Amino acid sequence: MVSTYTQPLARLIEAFQTLPGIGPKSAQRLAFHMLKQSSHDIKNFSDALLDAKEKIGECAQCFNLSGQSPCELCANPNRSPKTIGVVIDAQDLFALERTGEFSGQYHVLHGLISPMEGIGPEDLKIRELLARLTTDSEGRNRVEEVILALPPSIEGDTTSLYLSKLIKPLGIKLTRIAFGLPVGGDLEYADNMTIARALDGRQEF
Amino acid sequence: MRIRSLALRHYRNYHEQELTFSAGKNIILGQNGQGKTNLLEALYLLSHSRSHRASLDRELLMAGSDYAAVSLVMMPHGYLADIRLDVQMKRDTAGRLKTVFKLNGTPLKNRSQLLGHLPSVSFFNTDLALLRGTPSDRRRWLDAAVTQYDKRHFTYVAEYEKIRKQKSRLLKEQGMACTPAHLAVWNEQLARAGARLLQSRLSYLCFLYDPSVVRYLELSGQQEALNFSYQSQLEEANKAFKSRVDIDLEQAYMALLNHRINEERQRGVCLVGPHRDDIRFYLNGLEVCAYGSQGQQRTLVLALKLTELELLSQTSGEPPILILDDVMAELDPERQQYLIDHIPPEIQVFLTTTHLDAQLNPVVARYVGEGNSTIFKVSAGQIQAQPEKRCIR
Ligand SMILES: [Zn+2]
């Protein structure tokens, strides 16, 4: 279908189609939308893409994506270094950050243990996490609690288990976020695994 | 449960087909290769969320088609409203097949959510090979039967298999090179999921044991005593089943995994777990698989299926449907009669046969002739209903 377009348009549509969640129809719609924009707006858009790619790197402490290192979160003096929230990637970090409920620091693992995808513990930022738990920049250990904010999947469970074996002997409090029913959700429509997890993680009332 | 109607679109050899079923017996009549089993497979699919024989959903699509749909309307016992179940399989633009199950039009998040809505007991003629088949055939039978009885079992199997696949890959790719710390976490996960799976299988087998022994004794004219055992590498599991005691299987499983950790690393495969277990059947002390006659094996499968039917009727609070695929032809007239006599009247039956001739197939012909039945003639993917109450002579 794409081949009936003039070559530059076909190229643009194909480029959009490489994006996650974008099928041929959406790619087409986006391409036509872009063509309606002014050259100035398009220049702005493509500059933003290139600029982001060039300037954004990993924070040397928490491995979050940032234009600076240490990142804005690590450098923020109002954030407590006593608590570290461990997440899979920058996206999960932002999801947690959006809630405004967490005021500690983060550590981004960059994946979960999954032999099927060729990811072992050595491919994740685990060594770096342990280094943060044993010393800080002044050579002291200030971390009191590590919160594992990893998903309730087999890979999430396995990675949490692996981390617990390394962190517990350090005498640091280790917790994992609870899993349960969506707020406003009906028990009747939740699947069994979700309810089972919620029961597992029940709290005294 | 009573299925009112079924619609098939591009499913196997059915282009478009709509059927209205009888509350009693539904006799699907036709020569081999016309699509009788395909029709029963569609019912099985909406009961179990997977086919009894196809390992991939794409095998269920009509040749050359990029979608298929099955939908059925059923009336639960004592309910006022009908329930509608759907399965829709469709290729996306990238050519991947997406399967969606729906309950009353609402898409279900995963397959396991379909389970329990349409309880069924099925008897395909491939089940007759259960005892001569491989341990994996017997595990598949067991897991499917347990799932009908307790739908959580589906998740137990799925989780165990996911963990095992991950660990297998690790052993295969790294072998001796994988670190003990990494392997240890997979083993811990495997022991937890494996023990849960084992426990679930064992409690079903305990439940199945007495009634199936009684059933077999009756079927054999009080001549033969049935006995069966669960065969696991885990001695504790065998003991738990044999003496009906609770044993911490997770701990035992973990100990065995640790014991064989180096062997697993050397050979690069998962050597220990319920994926290697088996069930052994004995008649008067002799193993059926090795020493049983074909007649004994068939009688045993019949006894097990009838017991499944009895247990499921008791526990689900909803009479299951009974699917009988060409099994009558494989049983002698006495056992055919026994089967028919032991189908409770509230059970809706779906039975395929190549003949309804009173000479060739007297038991089935008489059964159909007793009324409350619809005959469906199947020929080359076309089905014609013949709402006759009498058998064809
Ligand atoms: Zn940082």
Side-chain angles (χ1 to χ4, degrees):
Chain A
M1 201 165 71
V2 170
S3 60
T4 58
Y5 297 117
T6 179
Q7 210 276 327
L9 180 56
R11 186 180 161 202
L12 182 61
I13 293 174
E14 269 173 42
F16 276 120
Q17 240 182 285
T18 62
L19 299 176
I22 303 288
K25 275 205 178 131
S26 310
Q28 224 180 81
R29 211 178 57 238
L30 288 169
F32 283 120
H33 172 81
M34 288 311 269
L35 290 178
K36 283 186 212 142
Q37 310 291 306
S38 69
S39 295
H40 174 263
D41 286 345
I42 296 216
K43 174 95 179 33
N44 211 355
F45 190 88
S46 67
D47 282 352
L49 278 176
L50 277 173
D51 197 49
K53 184 65 202 164
E54 276 164 20
K55 290 187 182 152
I56 294 177
E58 283 173 9
C59 165
Q61 179 168 266
C62 72
F63 300 92
N64 181 21
L65 295 177
S66 175
Q68 61 181 69
S69 183
C71 70
E72 294 85 341
L73 293 166
C74 287
N76 184 342
N78 295 325
R79 300 193 72 103
S80 163
K82 288 181 182 168
T83 314
I84 294 184
V86 177
V87 292
I88 299 180
D89 52 24
Q91 260 175 302
D92 281 7
L93 184 153
F94 291 123
L96 217 63
E97 198 51 24
R98 258 201 319 269
T99 67
E101 295 290 329
F102 181 67
S103 59
Q105 294 190 339
Y106 288 98
H107 192 86
V108 183
L109 286 179
H110 287 269
L112 292 173
I113 297 175
S114 173
M116 301 281 283
E117 293 164 85
I119 305 172
E122 61 286 350
D123 302 305
L124 306 175
K125 304 290 179 194
I126 293 177
R127 217 172 306 121
E128 292 82 352
L129 173 63
L130 292 177
R132 286 179 75 182
L133 299 184
T134 40
T135 53
D136 68 358
S137 47
E138 282 108 45
R140 279 174 306 165
N141 180 8
R142 287 186 297 179
V143 179
E144 288 171 6
E145 181 179 0
V146 175
I147 301 171
L148 301 176
L150 303 176
S153 61
I154 282 162
E155 294 74 22
D157 291 350
T158 305
T159 308
S160 300
L161 194 60
Y162 188 87
L163 290 172
S164 78
K165 305 224 175 251
L166 297 169
I167 296 170
K168 275 191 184 155
L170 303 175
I172 296 170
K173 183 177 175 192
L174 182 69
T175 55
R176 188 167 177 201
I177 57 166
F179 304 100
L181 302 161
V183 175
D186 243 318
L187 208 62
E188 189 186 351
Y189 295 113
D191 65 282
N192 298 335
M193 280 307 280
T194 304
I195 298 177
R197 280 275 189 170
L199 261 175
D200 255 358
R202 71 187 182 280
Q203 287 177 359
E204 205 165 326
F205 188 69
Chain B
M1 187 60 70
R2 178 191 154 189
I3 302 178
R4 286 181 188 276
S5 62
L6 178 75
L8 305 167
R9 291 186 72 198
H10 290 214
Y11 184 85
R12 294 276 193 185
N13 68 333
Y14 292 105
H15 186 75
E16 276 208 50
Q17 188 74 57
E18 281 185 32
L19 299 169
T20 306
F21 292 122
S22 154
K25 303 158 224 171
N26 295 278
I27 312 300
I28 296 131
L29 177 67
Q31 292 308 303
N32 288 328
Q34 304 302 305
K36 300 193 299 293
T37 302
N38 295 348
L39 181 64
L40 297 189
E41 180 190 39
L43 298 177
Y44 186 99
L45 178 67
L46 285 173
S47 172
H48 289 254
S49 83
R50 50 175 59 149
S51 159
H52 70 285
R53 55 178 171 176
S55 47
L56 298 167
D57 286 347
R58 67 174 139 86
E59 295 168 38
L60 306 176
L61 267 60
M62 179 173 244
S65 174
D66 54 8
Y67 79 94
V70 180
S71 113
L72 73 73
V73 176
M74 58 189 189
M75 192 174 71
H77 192 73
Y79 271 70
L80 294 174
D82 285 346
I83 291 181
R84 187 190 158 103
L85 300 179
D86 284 279
V87 57
Q88 289 163 354
M89 293 166 266
K90 201 170 181 240
R91 277 187 210 288
D92 65 12
T93 45
R96 279 177 304 242
L97 191 69
K98 273 200 87 172
T99 302
V100 180
F101 285 94
K102 291 182 179 174
L103 172 63
N104 290 332
T106 308
L108 300 174
K109 255 170 57 195
N110 48 49
R111 280 172 196 246
S112 66
Q113 286 184 279
L114 179 78
L115 297 167
H117 290 288
L118 175 58
S120 71
V121 171
S122 53
F123 197 167
F124 287 95
N125 62 11
T126 43
D127 288 329
L128 290 166
L130 181 73
L131 297 158
R132 270 173 287 137
T134 60
S136 123
D137 292 327
R138 285 184 285 279
R139 287 192 301 269
R140 203 174 314 123
W141 156 72
L142 177 61
D143 286 332
V146 186
T147 299
Q148 284 295 306
Y149 162 68
D150 179 355
K151 60 186 175 180
R152 290 175 304 177
H153 193 76
F154 185 92
T155 321
Y156 299 165
V157 176
E159 273 219 349
Y160 177 79
E161 284 304 320
K162 270 192 213 163
I163 298 168
R164 188 172 69 87
K165 271 192 188 133
Q166 289 277 21
K167 185 187 157 187
S168 294
R169 180 64 72 90
L170 177 67
L171 288 170
K172 192 175 157 208
E173 309 243 299
Q174 302 197 3
M176 291 307 283
C178 75
T179 65
H182 186 186
L183 196 54
V185 285
W186 286 112
N187 277 348
E188 215 170 294
Q189 292 272 68
L190 205 59
R192 183 186 49 77
R196 201 170 54 175
L197 170 60
L198 259 170
Q199 199 64 64
S200 169
R201 279 183 186 168
L202 293 177
S203 53
Y204 179 76
L205 285 173
C206 288
F207 191 48
L208 186 76
Y209 195 88
D210 289 345
S212 56
V213 167
V214 169
R215 186 72 80 186
Y216 193 91
L217 201 61
E218 203 176 298
L219 263 163
S220 69
Q222 312 295 320
Q223 295 297 304
E224 289 166 331
L226 169 69
N227 171 26
F228 57 89
S229 65
Y230 190 79
Q231 300 280 322
S232 170
Q233 298 146 305
L234 223 64
E235 267 312 311
E236 289 80 355
N238 304 335
K239 216 186 300 166
F241 178 60
K242 209 174 161 192
S243 48
R244 307 282 194 279
V245 287
D246 270 335
I247 291 175
D248 186 347
L249 294 175
E250 183 172 346
Q251 213 181 4
Y253 190 10
M254 195 67 220
L256 193 59
L257 283 166
N258 282 332
H259 181 64
R260 299 187 68 177
I261 195 163
N262 280 326
E263 201 185 336
E264 286 195 322
R265 288 168 75 202
Q266 264 160 18
R267 294 177 49 185
V269 280
C270 288
L271 294 170
V272 192
H275 64 287
R276 296 198 158 217
D277 293 355
D278 197 2
I279 305 124
R280 299 258 169 83
F281 296 90
Y282 304 87
L283 288 174
N284 289 343
L286 289 175
E287 197 182 343
V288 182
C289 184
Y291 302 102
S293 68
Q294 206 175 39
Q296 285 174 318
Q297 297 187 0
R298 288 178 174 179
T299 307
L300 177 49
V301 178
L302 177 61
L304 291 171
K305 294 288 178 177
L306 279 171
T307 312
E308 276 178 50
L309 185 68
E310 181 189 331
L311 297 183
L312 199 55
S313 303
Q314 283 169 12
T315 53
S316 71
E318 177 72 61
I321 61 161
L322 180 62
I323 296 171
L324 298 170
D325 184 31
D326 216 16
V327 288
M328 288 303 192
E330 307 284 338
L331 300 171
D332 61 25
E334 255 173 74
R335 293 191 177 95
Q336 289 182 19
Q337 193 60 53
Y338 184 95
L339 170 58
I340 283 168
D341 290 345
H342 289 83
I343 301 172
E346 69 275 16
I347 302 272
Q348 191 182 25
V349 179
F350 299 85
L351 178 153
T352 64
T353 182
T354 48
H355 295 93
L356 264 187
D357 192 288
Q359 298 281 302
L360 282 169
N361 208 347
V363 180
V364 178
R366 199 162 53 235
Y367 176 55
V368 174
E370 284 161 9
N372 198 11
S373 60
T374 305
I375 296 164
F376 298 90
K377 273 199 158 175
V378 186
S379 176
Q382 294 286 326
I383 305 177
Q384 292 280 323
Q386 302 187 319
E388 298 267 330
K389 296 283 184 206
R390 290 172 297 116
C391 69
I392 305 158
R393 284 175 202 278

